[in-house]
Amino acid sequence: MVKSYLRYEPGLAFGVIASIDSKITYDPSGLHLLAPALDKLAAWNLKQGFASKTFSPSSRSSHALAVTSVAASSSSSSTSIASGHADGSIRLWDCKKATCEATLNGHKSAVTALRYNHLSSLLASGGKDCDVILWDVVGEAGLFRLRGHRDQVTDLVFLDSGKKLVTCSKDKFIRVWDLEMQHCIQIVTGHHSEVWSLDVDQKERFLVSGSADTELRFYWIRTNAEMVENESKWEILKQFGEIQRQNKDRVATLRFNKSGSLLACQVAGKSVEIYRVLDDVESMRKAKRRLHRKKEKVMAKAMVGDDENGGLVDSLSSQELQHPTVAVSDMFKLLQTLRASKKICSIAFCPNVPKVGLATLSLSLNNNMLETHLIDTDKISKLYSIELHGHRSDIRSVTLSSDNDLLMSTSHNAVKIWNPSTGVCLRTIESGYGLCSSFVPGNRYALVGTKSGALEILDVGSGSSIEVIEAHAGSIRSIVPIPDDNGSVSSCGFVTGSADHDVKFWEYQLLQKPVNDSKQLTVTNVRTLKMNDDVLAVCISPNSKHLAVSLLDCTIKVFFVDSLKFFLSLYGHKLPVLCMDISSDGDLIVSGSADKNLKIWGLDFGDCHKSIFAHADSVMDVKFVRNTHYMFSVGKDRLVKYWDADKFELLLTLEGHHAEVWCLAVSNRGDFIVTGSHDRSIRRWDRTEEPFFIEEEREKRLEEIFESDLDNLNEDRYAPKELVPDEGSVGVPGKKTKETLSATDLVIDALDMADAEIKRIDQHKEEQKNGSGGEFQSNIMMRGLSPSDYVLHTLANVNTNDLEQTLLSLPFSDALKLMSYLKEWALVPDKVEVVCRVTTVLLQTHHNQLTTAVAARPVLIVLKDILHERVKECKDTIGFNLAAMGHLKELMSMRSDAPFRDAKAKLMEIRQWQSKRAARGGDTNENRRKKKKQKPASETGGGA
């Protein structure tokens, strides 16, 4: 009988607050901060400090689904947010329901930039494939692809109410696209290095761009009304000026706040420069002061040089002083510089205006933290910080308590205690760089071995460190509790292995505290085993008979625990053994090495049963499931693998981690395992009741390899690259995927089935005419639908975004069959849009064949008459409805105070501005009076 196994599935992932490679943003309401966490998106409530919602693209986690960019709708009434992923897909989410509304496939590699237009009806995306794609958010489909950039698109922004799009790239160029003409109308040069970010203020007056250059470049945005006769109408961006930055690092992000009064410039370091955008009155006043100072300097030089520079004084005429030209430095003023404790990954302004201060700015740091700061005119203060939900760096060890109710993880500066069933952090304890850990029997205390050689004793209940013992001269690599004879963990003590060549045995002791008559745990060294090389891993057999020690010389030495006499030497690995484990019955020992192999040994004679090439990189940890010969291994190739050590077969491959997996812990019952990774995430994998067979899993793996090869063939990576002209080109927005190919097969099958059914119907009619036909039995596979309705039903089930690629894959003969049904479908009011899309794609694709094929001519003549008429009817209906809605809006506004709301808000803004000006004016007026008094005195003194 074929043996079956129980499947393990991803259960829970926690520990990541914000990914390093993606950018944060606020949701449309401004109440939650959206922070990508690997392949998920978390909406954080900053005041309460927890993630209120989590957006997960799939139940199966994968590094290909890592969130690389996020965009939120700029309209407060909209609830739409978009996330771009590493595989080139874009997902549209409903922020309130936390559900995925649509998946858009178009980019061939990671999506690096996303931006909504003002009405949130369009979404623009840029990727590492150098393409820009425009998407219809309402229709959930791609409109067109813009090609022209020679390198990764880094940022983009809409202009002119969504009619134009500005993009920047690592090719050092900024491009302006006219979306109505689908053409690049301007290429802006001037940057000497990659352009990393750009943004536009709320009123669309100017655009700012930043690169690795030491200055920020500003451009005037010209509308059609501002065009001059001599200048080109295609010159949308006109050079305005430059501002020298304070920091020499490259620009990472540039963002205006919602009102456009502040500009934040985040560099690829630890600082953010905040610039104040002055209004027209203030900037004009500043320009006049600048010209006055210039005139005074010129006059001073003229007096010293005996009127040699008199011409310069005349050039600064009174008219120029009255109406000076405003420079960039007059409009943008450095307000504050925010300095963070760690490198900043991304920034985001809160769209809501705070009660106190100018704006709220949130940061994501590269140490897995989120910070929110309040920006004021004179200072920057920290409001909130989210840091307790994850480690600051990668996780080096995970350990489960004896009852599986607690999970301990160690990192470079802290130990965290988690609830493994919910992923909630219960305690955070400061410590050294923990490389290994273990719970003390009773689960009240825990032990941590550090990189410095110290052994730390922690009180789990109080979340404090009790004692730090200098146990070894080198880093402690292993802490293993000594089990009882029956295999359970006892209070006998534990063993530590270190890089100082020592294996030490320790015993627990309870010392009486004289202060409060309480007992405190401590440990004492009772035995020491000297080795010839660095100790990398230690394990003890469940019956406490054998001690296995792996050394830096690639060997494993086995000793008797009671006498410490040498028993066996296991050699065969080509690189050092990094991990080991012994099965519950003590028969097998498995070792994982940096040579990517697992070796299964018999502990009775030390013979190697099997050597398995297990991972694509170093094997970092391996553990047996209790009371079985099943085992789990993890490696630097980001995979968790499930093995049968008796049959030497790979059972399952679990994907989910986005970086190297360092450590592994298996529960006592084997019902779940926990893994810790360099991506700072802790993942739980649960055993289900679903059985599986080795042969089926092997077939699945072969199919995945075959499909990945198909994807590589579709990419045509070895084909010559298409040369894109400097002015850019337009392409199809979608891309061929497994879904589009399977949808094409379904459409072809439906067409064949409908053809066969039509022939059967015609044959039945002829038989009835002859008087020999009985009752017609329709095809049960068509679910009682007519042939035309069945094909329409199949076509309607195709994803809106995949429809174009599905039709492109149809052969001409099937496309002709499909067009024969379009006349009937056009009579259905709800299907006019689908019919128009299908007709347009098929005509564009098969234009040459359709114009020459005789069979296609009658179909095209019929469609020409019907489609124009049906589209006109739909347009009239939509126009009538829009006019009616506009009339209803006017009626509602007449009955309410809606016309006065904007005026009232404007009045409040004017009063607030006047009060601020009056507060500043008191000081400036006094200064002016003093200057006026001093001036006559100095003149009289000079005359005397």
Side-chain angles (χ1 to χ4, degrees):
M1 186 177 176
V2 180
K3 187 175 181 180
S4 65
Y5 302 86
L6 292 179
R7 187 179 298 278
Y8 282 80
E9 293 283 352
L12 190 66
F14 51 94
V16 180
I17 298 172
S19 299
I20 297 174
D21 301 327
S22 186
K23 295 184 178 181
I24 58 172
T25 188
Y26 275 87
D27 69 341
S29 66
L31 301 176
H32 297 93
L33 181 65
L34 301 172
L38 301 181
D39 54 344
K40 295 181 180 178
L41 190 64
W44 289 92
N45 187 322
L46 297 174
K47 289 183 180 178
Q48 298 177 359
F50 73 97
S52 57
K53 293 172 188 170
T54 303
F55 306 86
S56 182
S58 171
S59 58
R60 292 184 176 275
S61 176
S62 171
H63 61 90
L65 294 175
V67 181
T68 53
S69 56
V70 188
S73 169
S74 56
S75 173
S76 57
S77 59
S78 174
T79 59
S80 177
I81 58 174
S83 62
H85 299 264
D87 62 349
S89 63
I90 298 169
R91 283 168 174 77
L92 302 178
W93 306 85
D94 188 306
C95 198
K96 286 186 178 177
K97 300 176 186 174
T99 54
C100 182
E101 300 293 317
T103 302
L104 310 173
N105 289 305
H107 289 285
K108 295 174 183 174
S109 53
V111 181
T112 53
L114 284 171
R115 193 78 72 111
Y116 279 94
N117 69 337
H118 181 63
L119 297 174
S120 303
S121 58
L122 297 176
L123 176 72
S125 65
K128 284 186 177 178
D129 56 1
C130 314
D131 291 347
V132 177
I133 303 178
L134 204 71
W135 307 92
D136 180 4
V137 177
V138 180
E140 297 176 358
L143 297 177
F144 48 85
R145 182 191 300 265
L146 300 170
R147 292 195 179 103
H149 283 295
R150 308 283 194 228
D151 208 335
Q152 171 187 327
V153 179
T154 52
D155 208 351
L156 37 77
V157 67
F158 282 94
L159 289 182
D160 195 12
S161 303
K163 294 178 183 176
K164 294 179 179 63
L165 181 72
V166 184
T167 60
C168 65
S169 168
K170 288 169 74 173
D171 62 5
K172 307 178 188 178
F173 296 124
I174 297 173
R175 286 178 177 264
V176 184
W177 307 84
D178 191 308
L179 300 181
E180 292 177 343
M181 293 192 299
Q182 301 177 14
H183 191 75
C184 178
I185 57 176
Q186 186 183 0
I187 301 174
V188 181
T189 59
H191 286 284
H192 304 297
S193 57
E194 298 95 338
V195 187
W196 286 99
S197 185
L198 55 80
D199 201 19
V200 175
D201 69 320
Q202 182 71 13
K203 297 177 183 177
E204 293 189 3
R205 292 182 297 168
F206 31 74
L207 178 141
V208 57
S209 64
S211 64
D213 305 341
T214 55
E215 62 274 338
L216 296 177
R217 296 179 186 271
F218 291 83
Y219 302 89
W220 281 113
I221 300 172
R222 299 194 306 165
T223 59
N224 293 329
E226 295 174 351
M227 295 296 176
V228 184
E229 291 182 3
N230 299 332
E231 294 178 349
S232 170
K233 65 177 182 177
W234 307 120
E235 195 176 352
I236 306 299
L237 300 180
K238 187 177 180 182
Q239 183 78 30
F240 181 29
E242 299 172 353
I243 286 183
Q244 290 292 325
R245 296 189 288 113
Q246 304 293 314
N247 200 296
K248 302 301 179 187
D249 294 327
R250 73 164 178 87
V251 173
T253 312
L254 286 167
R255 287 294 177 266
F256 284 95
N257 66 337
K258 192 170 184 181
S259 63
S261 60
L262 294 177
L263 170 65
C265 171
Q266 175 228 333
V267 300
K270 298 182 180 180
S271 64
V272 180
E273 295 173 7
I274 312 292
Y275 293 89
R276 179 76 180 269
V277 185
L278 305 179
D279 57 19
D280 294 338
V281 178
E282 289 178 333
S283 55
M284 187 65 73
R285 190 185 301 124
K286 193 174 177 184
K288 286 179 180 178
R289 285 202 301 269
R290 176 172 54 82
L291 286 176
H292 273 294
R293 286 197 300 271
K294 187 176 179 181
K295 183 180 178 182
E296 287 173 3
K297 287 181 181 177
V298 171
M299 288 180 68
K301 286 182 180 178
M303 290 176 67
V304 172
D306 295 329
D307 290 338
E308 286 180 5
N309 297 326
L312 289 172
V313 181
D314 296 335
S315 64
L316 293 168
S317 63
S318 60
Q319 187 169 357
E320 189 178 351
L321 292 171
Q322 290 284 339
H323 303 286
T325 55
V326 178
V328 182
S329 56
D330 301 328
M331 192 167 285
F332 291 88
K333 173 187 173 185
L334 183 64
L335 182 69
Q336 298 284 344
T337 301
L338 190 156
R339 289 181 174 83
S341 57
K342 291 290 181 180
K343 187 179 178 182
I344 302 169
C345 296
S346 63
I347 60 171
F349 272 112
C350 179
N352 300 335
V353 181
K355 294 179 181 178
V356 181
L358 299 174
T360 307
L361 183 69
S362 292
L363 320 172
S364 74
L365 307 181
N366 73 340
N367 64 342
N368 201 23
M369 274 181 65
L370 291 174
E371 288 184 356
T372 303
H373 297 261
L374 180 68
I375 300 169
D376 213 336
T377 51
D378 54 347
K379 63 175 181 178
I380 296 177
S381 53
K382 187 193 287 188
L383 290 179
Y384 314 111
S385 177
I386 295 175
E387 56 185 335
L388 294 176
H389 302 272
H391 283 285
R392 304 283 74 77
S393 66
D394 50 346
I395 293 149
R396 297 312 302 253
S397 74
V398 288
T399 311
L400 285 163
S401 60
S402 57
D403 55 4
N404 298 330
D405 287 342
L406 295 176
L407 170 70
M408 178 168 57
S409 60
T410 64
S411 185
H412 81 292
N413 66 348
V415 173
K416 286 186 179 286
I417 309 295
W418 308 83
N419 183 340
S421 59
T422 61
V424 175
C425 181
L426 306 175
R427 298 280 187 276
T428 300
I429 309 166
E430 289 187 5
S431 73
Y433 198 134
L435 296 177
C436 52
S437 57
S438 176
F439 277 98
V440 176
N443 303 327
R444 287 182 58 193
Y445 300 97
L447 302 168
V448 175
T450 65
K451 197 173 184 179
S452 62
L455 184 66
E456 299 186 2
I457 304 174
L458 310 176
D459 188 333
V460 176
S462 64
S464 60
S465 177
I466 298 174
E467 189 179 2
V468 178
I469 300 168
E470 296 299 327
H472 289 272
S475 57
I476 301 175
R477 304 282 174 80
S478 289
I479 297 179
V480 183
I482 300 174
D484 284 333
D485 294 336
N486 58 4
S488 61
V489 177
S490 70
S491 56
C492 299
F494 61 94
V495 179
T496 58
S498 170
D500 64 356
H501 304 187
D502 286 349
V503 177
K504 291 188 177 182
F505 290 73
W506 304 80
E507 284 186 354
Y508 301 114
Q509 286 186 351
L510 286 174
L511 293 181
Q512 191 76 25
K513 271 180 147 186
V515 182
N516 50 7
D517 294 336
S518 63
K519 291 184 178 180
Q520 180 178 311
L521 180 74
T522 186
V523 294
T524 54
N525 181 20
V526 290
R527 286 190 294 173
T528 302
L529 176 64
K530 297 281 186 183
M531 306 303 295
N532 297 326
D533 215 331
D534 290 12
V535 178
L536 299 181
V538 175
C539 66
I540 297 177
S541 61
N543 57 4
S544 298
K545 185 178 179 182
H546 297 115
L547 168 72
V549 182
S550 73
L551 302 176
L552 194 61
D553 61 2
C554 311
T555 62
I556 302 169
K557 308 290 184 186
V558 184
F559 300 87
F560 291 103
V561 172
D562 51 2
S563 62
L564 297 184
K565 285 186 178 179
F566 176 76
F567 174 49
L568 290 171
S569 180
L570 310 177
Y571 55 90
H573 282 290
K574 296 175 183 176
L575 290 172
V577 176
L578 304 176
C579 51
M580 298 181 298
D581 197 25
I582 299 175
S583 61
S584 301
D585 55 9
D587 291 344
L588 299 178
I589 177 171
V590 60
S591 59
S593 167
D595 62 7
K596 311 173 188 177
N597 288 316
L598 284 175
K599 286 186 184 291
I600 301 167
W601 316 77
L603 204 53
D604 45 2
F605 301 110
D607 55 324
C608 180
H609 291 183
K610 187 72 173 176
S611 181
I612 305 169
F613 183 75
H615 289 267
D617 210 330
S618 303
V619 182
M620 299 309 299
D621 206 352
V622 63
K623 290 280 191 299
F624 275 104
V625 178
R626 194 171 181 181
N627 298 326
T628 68
H629 281 180
Y630 307 146
M631 60 185 184
F632 286 93
S633 66
V634 297
K636 284 187 177 181
D637 58 356
R638 303 180 288 204
L639 299 178
V640 181
K641 294 193 175 183
Y642 184 33
W643 306 86
D644 187 338
D646 290 330
K647 293 187 175 182
F648 318 122
E649 288 279 359
L650 173 62
L651 304 180
L652 284 177
T653 300
L654 304 174
E655 293 185 25
H657 282 290
H658 294 220
E660 300 94 333
V661 188
W662 294 124
C663 48
L664 163 73
V666 183
S667 67
N668 291 335
R669 297 183 296 274
D671 54 344
F672 69 92
I673 66 167
V674 179
T675 53
S677 168
H678 183 72
D679 62 13
R680 300 169 187 173
S681 71
I682 301 171
R683 294 183 182 268
R684 196 188 75 217
W685 313 82
D686 297 332
R687 187 175 63 197
T688 63
E689 296 301 319
E690 179 192 351
F692 70 93
F693 301 97
I694 295 177
E695 290 76 13
E696 289 180 359
E697 288 301 312
R698 193 182 293 122
E699 286 177 9
K700 278 185 186 177
R701 286 194 291 273
L702 290 172
E703 282 177 11
E704 287 174 2
I705 294 168
F706 178 69
E707 286 175 356
S708 64
D709 289 343
L710 274 179
D711 291 342
N712 293 338
L713 286 172
N714 291 333
E715 284 177 9
D716 293 332
R717 60 175 64 184
Y718 300 112
K721 290 188 177 180
E722 181 185 354
L723 292 175
V724 180
D726 290 337
E727 64 272 13
S729 64
V730 185
V732 178
K735 70 172 181 179
K736 191 180 289 185
T737 60
K738 297 170 193 171
E739 289 78 12
T740 59
L741 292 174
S742 59
T744 306
D745 292 338
L746 288 173
V747 172
I748 293 172
D749 290 344
L751 288 168
D752 293 341
M753 198 180 292
D755 262 9
E757 188 71 2
I758 289 170
K759 288 177 183 176
R760 283 184 64 231
I761 292 170
D762 293 341
Q763 186 180 354
H764 178 71
K765 285 179 180 177
E766 286 181 7
E767 288 175 356
Q768 278 188 333
K769 283 179 184 178
N770 299 331
S772 61
E775 188 180 350
F776 180 75
Q777 295 290 331
S778 60
N779 190 346
I780 195 171
M781 295 293 290
M782 297 180 68
R783 307 172 195 172
L785 298 172
S786 66
S788 174
D789 291 344
Y790 181 68
V791 176
L792 180 60
H793 177 73
T794 306
L795 203 64
N797 285 337
V798 178
N799 192 2
T800 317
N801 180 49
D802 297 336
L803 182 61
E804 194 169 358
Q805 286 293 328
T806 302
L807 296 172
L808 285 172
S809 303
L810 280 177
F812 176 68
S813 57
D814 291 308
L816 205 58
K817 288 180 191 175
L818 189 63
M819 290 187 76
S820 64
Y821 294 104
L822 294 177
K823 175 190 171 184
E824 189 176 341
W825 295 347
L827 301 175
V828 183
D830 296 344
K831 303 300 178 184
V832 174
E833 185 186 353
V834 176
V835 171
C836 289
R837 282 190 67 189
V838 172
T839 308
T840 307
V841 173
L842 292 179
L843 284 174
Q844 288 175 346
T845 309
H846 304 286
H847 179 264
N848 293 333
Q849 293 97 319
L850 286 170
T851 50
T852 54
V854 179
R857 199 167 298 165
V859 178
L860 293 174
I861 292 169
V862 171
L863 283 175
K864 179 187 173 185
D865 297 331
I866 291 177
L867 275 183
H868 284 288
E869 195 177 318
R870 299 299 296 162
V871 170
K872 189 176 181 303
E873 287 177 13
C874 288
K875 284 178 71 177
D876 291 342
T877 306
I878 292 168
F880 180 81
N881 290 336
L882 282 172
M885 288 170 69
H887 180 62
L888 288 172
K889 187 178 177 183
E890 286 181 10
L891 289 175
M892 290 175 69
S893 63
M894 287 170 65
R895 295 174 187 173
S896 65
D897 60 339
F900 304 103
R901 286 178 194 162
D902 295 336
K904 187 178 179 182
K906 191 71 177 174
L907 182 64
M908 293 299 292
E909 283 182 15
I910 293 169
R911 284 180 179 172
Q912 190 177 2
W913 177 76
Q914 285 178 344
S915 61
K916 285 182 180 178
R917 190 179 176 189
R920 289 196 301 266
D923 299 332
T924 54
N925 288 335
E926 286 181 11
N927 293 335
R928 283 177 187 169
R929 286 186 197 125
K930 288 178 182 177
K931 285 180 181 178
K932 283 180 181 178
K933 287 178 182 178
Q934 290 172 3
K935 204 171 185 181
S938 61
E939 286 175 2
T940 52

